[in-house]
Amino acid sequence: MQGFEQRDAIVQTSPPVAGGRFADNIVLFGRTLRKAGLKIGPGAIADAIEAVDAIGIGSREEFHSALFAVFVKRHEDKAVFDEAFRLFWRSRDLVEKMIAMMSPRAMPQQKEKARPGESRASDALLGDRPDKRLPREDPAIEIDARFTMSGSEVFRRMDFAQMSVTEIAAAKKALASLTLPDDRVRTRRFWPSHIHAHVDPRGTMRASLRSGGALILPRYREIREIQPPLVVLADISGSMSQYTRIFLHFMHVLSEKRRRVHTFLFGTRLTNVTRQMRHKDSDEAMDECAAAVRDWSGGTRIGETLKEFNRLWARRVLGQGAVVLLITDGLEREGTELLAAEMDRLHRSCRRLIWLNPLLRFDGFEPRARGVRAMLPHVDEFRPVHNLSSLADLAAALGESRSAAYDPRRFLVRMKGQP
């Protein structure tokens, strides 16, 4: 593949671009972008060749701008395009680095921070390349379905902490296909309706003014139903580090599929990442969240962070029957008096408070930690959140009433018999 011989300049070619191998490389680049998820057709590739032929081959920045103007139609495709352009039209020293990285015994190199869109671009370029060193054979698996679960069921019940990198990637794709319920609640307001049930006096009089009051036709209204706000408070401390990344992808799916989703991350301080979660591309959203949070995988101060949320954000986001998802293991390192008071205030400020705790994956879980004992009396549901099955059950439960199977009172009964 012919590309750039140097990082900052493109060698002038004659004959024209449309008649040489450079045009073939633009075609391959367009196919790579399409494989990475960009909506590119044959017409766009032809336009890109004509655009490069029209402006001539000058600097690398001009060539990048020409292809960017033709291929990128959505804001969320920018990061993927930039990363694919960097990998495809690369220099020779970068090729040597990639060969060294792909060799069996690579020299230790400094680990660079992952870029937004890097995984999608690299999969599009190298995903279909077979490994020539080892024969690639899929193992034959025989499953007796009479006494065992299917492979998909096993995957759904696999703990996130035990998943490999490939399984985590598959779990992210499975999260994107989750179906959220239409959990609408009735409000005190009305909006226009075509159902002849309730006459709208104000709407009727306003419509009659158009004809000067000569013609009065009745207008109708009905009670307005809306989806309540969803507020997510997620613990990103060190004890939750094995689940943080997949939880962020779950929050990104929630932000994409419903309106008014507010996301807050906390460890030793509270960080509002609602704006970062609105990026269409999940890789870019994760990168923005990582840049915004300063106390990633640190300690835990649940009481202090809840106090800050109740003081600064509760009145802004907990209106109209909001539902709060609190994701934490409850391992508070400070006193529990403040934690209990702030949990009680949070519980009284929202319509429904659901506590998601990965420690519930253990069958013999008992509320012995002081933080857990202080939080349990102030929640409506106490659910596990450690695999795909639990996240799917949570998504379905958002449109249902409180479930007795996750009633925290069954743990409160055990707490009475404990010192």
Side-chain angles (χ1 to χ4, degrees):
M1 180 183 65
Q2 294 182 350
F4 294 102
E5 296 297 335
Q6 297 180 355
R7 185 177 300 273
D8 299 326
I10 303 176
V11 180
Q12 293 285 348
T13 61
S14 178
V17 173
R21 292 188 59 188
F22 208 84
D24 297 336
N25 288 334
I26 295 178
V27 173
L28 293 177
F29 181 60
R31 293 175 180 175
T32 301
L33 293 177
R34 183 167 58 240
K35 189 181 297 184
L38 275 69
K39 297 181 178 180
I40 296 175
I45 297 177
D47 293 341
I49 296 175
E50 293 180 1
V52 175
D53 195 15
I55 67 171
I57 303 179
S59 66
R60 183 183 181 92
E61 289 74 15
E62 293 177 354
F63 180 69
H64 174 275
S65 300
L67 296 183
F68 182 89
V70 176
F71 287 141
V72 178
K73 302 295 190 302
R74 301 176 299 176
H75 175 73
E76 57 268 22
D77 294 337
K78 179 180 182 300
V80 179
F81 175 87
D82 291 340
E83 189 62 25
F85 185 89
R86 184 183 68 86
L87 292 176
F88 191 90
W89 306 100
R90 56 187 180 267
S91 57
R92 289 185 176 180
D93 57 345
L94 184 57
V95 175
E96 294 174 357
K97 291 180 182 179
M98 293 183 65
I99 293 176
M101 293 172 59
M102 296 171 62
S103 62
R105 295 182 180 179
M107 296 298 294
Q109 299 180 359
Q110 184 179 1
K111 186 177 180 180
E112 297 181 355
K113 183 180 179 180
R115 307 185 183 186
E118 181 176 358
S119 59
R120 290 170 57 185
S122 58
D123 289 344
L125 285 170
L126 307 175
D128 297 334
R129 183 172 298 177
D131 192 350
K132 298 180 180 179
R133 292 171 293 172
L134 297 175
R136 188 174 182 179
E137 297 180 358
D138 296 332
I141 302 177
E142 297 181 359
I143 301 177
D144 187 357
R146 293 175 297 177
F147 302 102
T148 60
M149 294 183 295
S150 64
S152 60
E153 186 67 19
V154 172
F155 179 68
R156 286 172 53 87
R157 296 182 180 275
M158 182 180 297
D159 197 318
F160 292 137
Q162 301 175 355
M163 287 185 175
S164 63
V165 177
T166 305
E167 291 168 340
I168 287 291
K172 294 175 184 178
K173 295 181 180 179
L175 288 177
S177 61
L178 284 179
T179 302
L180 298 181
D182 188 12
D183 53 330
R184 296 182 177 271
V185 295
R186 295 166 65 91
T187 65
R188 298 179 181 179
R189 297 182 179 274
F190 295 87
W191 56 9
S193 173
H194 297 289
I195 301 177
H196 297 179
H198 303 282
V199 177
D200 183 5
R202 180 179 299 179
T204 301
M205 296 302 297
R206 185 183 298 112
S208 66
L209 295 177
R210 299 175 182 176
S211 59
L215 181 62
I216 301 178
L217 297 177
R219 295 290 188 270
Y220 302 93
R221 66 182 183 179
E222 62 180 350
I223 296 179
R224 184 179 181 183
E225 295 184 352
I226 62 171
Q227 279 190 326
L230 184 64
V231 180
V232 182
L233 296 168
D235 189 350
I236 56 171
S237 61
S239 59
M240 297 283 292
S241 59
Q242 294 177 320
Y243 301 92
T244 299
R245 195 74 180 179
I246 197 69
F247 288 163
L248 287 178
H249 281 275
F250 175 66
M251 299 174 205
H252 185 261
V253 171
L254 292 179
S255 301
E256 277 191 329
K257 295 191 175 183
R258 62 181 293 160
R259 301 176 58 188
R260 298 195 299 174
V261 177
H262 308 277
T263 306
F264 297 84
L265 305 180
F266 68 89
T268 57
R269 65 182 69 185
L270 184 70
T271 305
N272 185 3
V273 294
T274 303
R275 182 175 301 177
Q276 288 79 359
M277 281 293 174
R278 290 174 182 171
H279 288 287
K280 294 294 184 180
D281 186 79
S282 60
D283 295 332
E284 187 175 358
M286 299 304 107
D287 188 70
E288 292 288 338
C289 289
V293 177
R294 298 181 180 180
D295 56 339
W296 203 286
S297 298
T300 310
R301 300 174 61 188
I302 306 177
E304 288 291 340
T305 52
L306 289 182
K307 179 181 179 180
E308 182 180 356
F309 174 81
N310 290 330
R311 181 172 60 91
L312 299 178
W313 297 99
R315 291 187 178 182
R316 305 183 190 182
V317 300
L318 294 184
Q320 297 182 330
V323 178
V324 177
L325 302 181
L326 180 60
I327 307 176
T328 180
D329 52 11
L331 303 181
E332 174 66 289
R333 71 176 188 177
E334 297 182 351
T336 58
E337 293 79 7
L338 177 62
L339 176 60
E342 296 302 329
M343 280 293 299
D344 179 60
R345 181 178 177 182
L346 177 62
H347 187 208
R348 289 185 283 107
S349 300
C350 63
R351 181 172 61 92
R352 188 177 177 189
L353 177 56
I354 303 176
W355 182 8
L356 308 174
N357 193 334
L359 295 180
L360 283 179
R361 67 186 185 275
F362 302 114
D363 296 333
F365 172 80
E366 294 184 1
R368 295 184 178 181
R370 292 186 303 168
V372 177
R373 296 166 67 92
M375 296 170 64
L376 264 180
H378 309 291
V379 298
D380 297 315
E381 294 184 34
F382 193 36
R383 289 176 169 269
V385 57
H386 62 286
N387 54 22
L388 288 175
S389 179
S390 61
L391 290 179
D393 293 342
L394 170 64
L398 293 178
E400 302 173 355
S401 58
R402 301 176 185 178
S403 175
Y406 302 103
D407 193 339
R409 287 179 293 183
R410 58 193 179 102
F411 292 97
L412 296 176
V413 174
R414 300 180 189 178
M415 289 170 53
K416 294 181 179 180
Q418 296 178 3

